Amino acid sequence: MTSWALALFLRDLRLSVRVGGSALVGVLFFLAVVTVIPFGVGPDLNLLSRIGPAILWIGALLATLLGLDRLFQADRDDGTLDLMLMAGRPLELVVLIKCLAHWVATGLPLVVAAPLLAVFLNLEPLAMGAVTLTLLVGTPALTLIGAIGAALTVSLRRGGLLLAVLVVPLAIPVLIFGVSAADAAIHDPVPFLTPFLILCALSLIAAVIGPVASAAALRFASD
Amino acid sequence: MAFWDYANPTRFLRLVQVVLPWLTGLCVLAFAAGFYMSFFVAPEDYQQGQTVRIMYIHVPAAWLSMMCYSIMAVSSLGTLVWKHPLADVSAKAAAPIGAAFTFMSLVTGSLWGKPMWGTYWVWDARLTSVLVLLIMYLGLMTLWRTMDDPIKAGKAAAILTLVGALNLPIIKFSVDWWNTLHQPASVMRMDGPTIHPDILWPLLVMAIAFTLLFFVLHLMAMRNEILRRRVRTLRLRAATSAHPRSATATAQPAE
Amino acid sequence: MFEDLSFSLNGGSALVVTGANGIGKSSLLRTLAGLVPPSHGSIRLEGGAADTPPEEQAHYFGHQDAVKPALSVEENLQFWQNFTAPAPAPGFSVRSVTPLEALDTLGIGHTAQLPAAFLSAGQKRRLSLCRLLVTSRPVWLMDEPTSALDRRSETQLLELMNAHLAAGGLIVTATHSDLALADVLQLHLQAADAAALPVEDALP
């Protein structure tokens, strides 16, 4: 049972690394977002360090969303998706594994880049660690929720923007608890663990809802 | 005309083979002299102490980051205007080297800034411009990676490089303006009133060493790129060549 | 799309679906492949694994090659071998071959290590065809299997199809060209205004 899952995981990982280095583009976009914000709010380091966790989270959200539109579309365009539906493997698991590979190729680099980008925003080491940890736990939820949007827009030529519009409202809880957990770690009186555990719960819920909903959408999309 | 003689990749490779050992040797010598001078000859700064020695890496790297972009811009002109066959190879080979020098100047700059500003990063006009330059380098590298056909990718990247070259002064100007708007003269200027010869000489030698290093790396990267393209052509040809053994084979059911 | 269409097919025989463009040959094949749900009616594969739906015992060879240009030819094929579940059936005995054997069979063995992006259209088509060999499934659903193939590859394809039939497999194919298959039934689709809707039954 595991060999087909591993084959799918490795194939998706290979594809995302080889096709235009999507991991690099995501991190680059993340960097660009973080660079642009100070031009808007001004270079005041105190202000930046206060809103730093939020900037990093929003940057990660946008970078995740922009990378998602090809998650299923590339497979649909060349007929792979039809064959996957016929392969005799549970589609929900297929979606989950594809999301996992996608997260490792594009989400994990964002998490790794976060501490570096936090330097630009003058975050304290503690805040840096907190933001990175919340991103590590929270970005899988963004990918899994985004997969629903990717599955719904799979048949559209230019689904990328619509995907973002569909998914952003669904991603709001993740953003709320991600940022508040990171903030709680910085400002003392608020407990860190409460929002952090809720964030973990959100990721786990997304790991169920995302694949089930995406698989249903993909079955309909095969018309 | 010598410039056009080396448009032929084979001739260019032969030239590289002759020039590269000498250039490498010179580069090693220059670095040996440069490091010796900057660590043992140059004096400590009365304000900054030993940290001033970071300057001998930082300033040449920053200088190279800009020179590299100029070389890419000239190469891009070569691609689009003169259609020199090696121009896009030169531009493509220069981009990662430029990005590396830019990154080095950013890292050394923030290490240097830590004791002075108390933080690794400030949104100083100069640092910010260099960061924007780094993003442009990385964007160009991604553009090259994303396109399969090296000729098409070379043209697209050449256009972006030239637009970037025209835009860089505008970016620099607006970043300066943005910075003074928000933060009137709160950041220390790095360049002191006058540079003492004891500091200037090591700096110049290091600058020469870095420039030589750039040319060594650039020639090596160009050679690799030419070879990489030859491998690609060979493999394309290998795919089209008919296979002699295939004519009689059929699938046999195993009964 | 169609009404009152029913046919049955025995092991070792092929059904060739013909008809004008747009009549629904591809839709019929996609329905059989489980990609389009039939509005009513059912598709059954007797003698196969009971709890496996028919489409999971079939190979679909459509217009799209499902070849990833960024992967090497062998990686492409190896993935499909690992990913697709084989479907053993009692009256059908063909072992799955290894990717390299399949590539050699179709005369593109020399490209195994090259990125699939370097292949020509016909070579990609043949690579896609190799997919049917590396995982053994009794039913082949083939939509215009000869398109983009040269004459020699077409002969090879026919040999493969005949070998598949000889081993007890089923083939349903939509085509415009004449295929010299061993045991053929014709299903001619016509527009609905024709009084008699085309129905053909299999020989025992």
Side-chain angles (χ1 to χ4, degrees):
Chain A
M1 178 238 145
T2 47
S3 74
W4 67 266
L6 192 66
L8 178 65
F9 180 78
L10 289 179
R11 181 197 85 129
D12 270 34
L13 208 56
R14 271 199 200 111
L15 283 175
S16 10
V17 172
R18 285 190 201 164
V19 181
S22 59
L24 185 69
V25 182
V27 173
L28 205 52
F29 180 78
F30 195 18
L31 172 66
V33 169
V34 170
T35 309
V36 157
I37 300 265
F39 290 120
V41 300
D44 179 7
L45 285 180
N46 292 327
L47 175 68
L48 285 176
S49 71
R50 202 167 68 243
I51 61 174
I55 294 176
L56 289 174
W57 257 95
I58 290 175
L61 171 68
L62 294 179
T64 309
L65 288 186
L66 285 185
L68 270 171
D69 59 333
R70 299 295 289 167
L71 180 58
F72 302 117
Q73 207 172 36
D75 279 343
R76 187 194 150 91
D77 287 351
D78 63 9
T80 304
L81 194 60
D82 289 343
L83 301 180
M84 284 185 168
L85 289 168
M86 297 173 62
R89 310 296 185 192
L91 192 57
E92 287 78 8
L93 273 184
V94 170
V95 171
L96 185 65
I97 290 161
K98 280 183 79 70
C99 287
L100 196 65
H102 188 265
W103 179 78
V104 170
T106 61
L108 201 55
L110 297 181
V111 178
V112 173
L116 186 69
L117 298 184
V119 172
F120 290 128
L121 300 170
N122 196 32
L123 291 193
E124 299 294 313
L126 178 67
M128 222 181 258
V131 172
T132 311
L133 189 62
T134 53
L135 281 176
L136 180 67
V137 173
T139 43
L142 296 180
T143 303
L144 288 159
I145 294 172
I148 304 173
L152 288 169
T153 57
V154 70
S155 54
L156 304 179
R157 251 312 101 210
R158 301 188 54 210
L161 210 55
L162 179 60
L163 185 155
V165 173
L166 297 180
V167 169
V168 162
L170 302 175
I172 286 175
V174 181
L175 195 62
I176 289 176
F177 288 100
V179 175
S180 58
D183 275 339
I186 305 162
H187 308 293
D188 236 354
V190 200
F192 166 73
L193 215 52
T194 316
F196 184 73
L197 287 180
I198 294 179
L199 186 66
C200 295
L202 285 175
S203 279
L204 292 175
I205 293 171
V208 177
I209 294 181
V212 171
S214 311
L218 287 178
R219 283 207 187 88
F220 288 127
S222 76
D223 65 85
Chain B
M1 194 176 151
F3 182 64
W4 278 103
D5 279 353
Y6 294 110
N8 180 335
T10 313
R11 215 170 283 171
F12 175 80
L13 286 181
R14 218 175 297 143
L15 176 81
V16 168
Q17 211 170 9
V18 175
V19 170
L20 204 54
W22 293 96
L23 212 54
T24 317
L26 266 179
C27 177
V28 170
L29 283 180
F31 264 108
F35 277 127
Y36 177 75
M37 287 169 89
S38 46
F39 278 103
F40 300 110
V41 177
E44 275 184 33
D45 191 83
Y46 69 98
Q47 257 183 330
Q48 304 172 25
Q50 295 286 357
T51 45
V52 78
R53 299 196 197 279
I54 293 178
M55 179 178 74
Y56 301 117
I57 304 281
H58 173 73
V59 175
W63 186 58
L64 256 288
S65 71
M66 279 177 277
M67 190 191 91
C68 188
Y69 200 92
S70 329
I71 285 180
M72 282 172 67
V74 173
S75 300
S76 303
L77 271 182
T79 308
L80 294 178
V81 181
W82 305 311
K83 311 229 181 326
H84 192 284
L86 284 177
D88 67 322
V89 176
S90 154
K92 184 176 180 181
I97 306 173
F101 278 123
T102 314
F103 186 69
M104 194 194 286
S105 74
L106 279 176
V107 169
T108 50
S110 66
L111 286 178
W112 195 6
K114 175 69 177 167
M116 295 169 64
W117 305 316
T119 153
Y120 284 109
W121 184 262
V122 292
W123 291 89
D124 164 51
R126 233 193 263 195
L127 286 164
T128 310
S129 306
V130 175
L131 181 60
V132 173
L133 183 66
L134 178 67
I135 293 177
M136 288 196 58
Y137 271 125
L138 295 178
L140 279 167
M141 282 163 65
T142 317
L143 185 62
W144 258 303
R145 272 195 59 148
T146 314
M147 293 197 179
D148 280 334
D149 184 0
I151 306 295
K152 270 186 202 160
K155 282 184 181 145
I159 292 171
L160 184 61
T161 311
L162 286 178
V163 171
L166 293 179
N167 253 317
L168 275 178
I170 303 177
I171 295 171
K172 179 88 179 89
F173 166 77
S174 36
V175 167
D176 279 341
W177 192 73
W178 162 78
N179 196 263
T180 46
L181 188 75
H182 286 287
Q183 221 182 21
S186 71
V187 177
M188 269 179 80
R189 307 300 299 177
M190 303 310 288
D191 42 4
T194 50
I195 299 177
H196 194 269
D198 282 355
I199 297 175
L200 185 65
W201 276 110
L203 196 58
L204 278 180
V205 174
M206 282 304 274
I208 290 170
F210 266 72
T211 313
L212 285 171
L213 177 65
F214 168 78
F215 281 115
V216 168
L217 292 177
H218 190 218
L219 284 181
M220 283 171 142
M222 279 178 78
R223 183 183 62 190
N224 291 352
E225 179 63 22
I226 291 171
L227 295 178
R228 203 175 292 130
R229 286 186 188 183
R230 287 195 175 165
V231 169
R232 185 175 187 275
T233 319
L234 285 179
R235 297 179 85 186
L236 265 173
R237 210 176 292 159
T240 49
S241 70
H243 200 252
R245 290 192 287 121
S246 61
T248 53
T250 49
Q252 294 300 329
E255 289 252 61
Chain C
M1 202 78 193
F2 1 80
E3 288 171 3
D4 299 336
L5 178 67
S6 83
F7 59 86
S8 66
L9 198 60
N10 281 5
S13 51
L15 180 72
V16 174
V17 186
T18 53
N21 285 336
I23 198 79
K25 299 189 293 295
S26 294
S27 302
L28 175 62
L29 283 176
R30 286 182 71 82
T31 311
L32 291 175
L35 299 169
V36 184
S39 51
H40 45 83
S42 67
I43 303 159
R44 266 200 330 277
L45 182 67
E46 283 168 9
D51 53 346
T52 315
E55 68 264 21
E56 289 177 11
Q57 305 182 43
H59 273 302
Y60 176 64
F61 181 66
H63 293 287
Q64 292 165 314
D65 295 327
V67 167
K68 292 290 177 193
L71 298 180
S72 82
V73 169
E74 196 187 353
E75 280 171 341
N76 264 298
L77 203 52
Q78 186 71 56
F79 165 71
W80 285 116
Q81 182 171 45
N82 293 341
F83 186 71
T84 313
F92 172 70
S93 54
V94 168
R95 69 185 173 95
S96 306
V97 301
T98 68
L100 282 177
E101 282 169 1
L103 290 171
D104 273 334
T105 304
L106 280 148
I108 48 173
H110 63 296
T111 62
Q113 303 305 323
L114 297 176
F118 291 178
L119 298 189
S120 69
Q123 285 173 326
K124 276 186 192 149
R125 198 90 183 125
R126 278 185 268 167
L127 170 56
S128 187
L129 203 55
C130 287
R131 196 165 44 75
L132 278 56
L133 304 179
V134 294
T135 311
S136 153
R137 284 186 166 190
V139 183
W140 286 6
L141 307 168
M142 307 177 96
D143 199 353
E144 298 286 354
T146 53
S147 69
L149 290 182
D150 58 17
R151 194 155 293 275
R152 211 184 73 195
S153 314
E154 209 176 307
T155 323
Q156 274 178 354
L157 172 67
L158 278 175
E159 283 168 16
L160 286 175
M161 289 168 82
N162 278 325
H164 180 71
L165 293 175
L170 293 176
I171 293 179
V172 179
T173 174
T175 184
H176 289 295
S177 55
D178 286 330
L179 296 174
L181 291 171
D183 187 358
V184 185
L185 296 164
Q186 290 279 339
L187 172 66
H188 188 69
L189 294 183
Q190 280 174 0
D193 52 49
L197 281 155
V199 178
E200 287 214 16
D201 278 289
L203 300 169

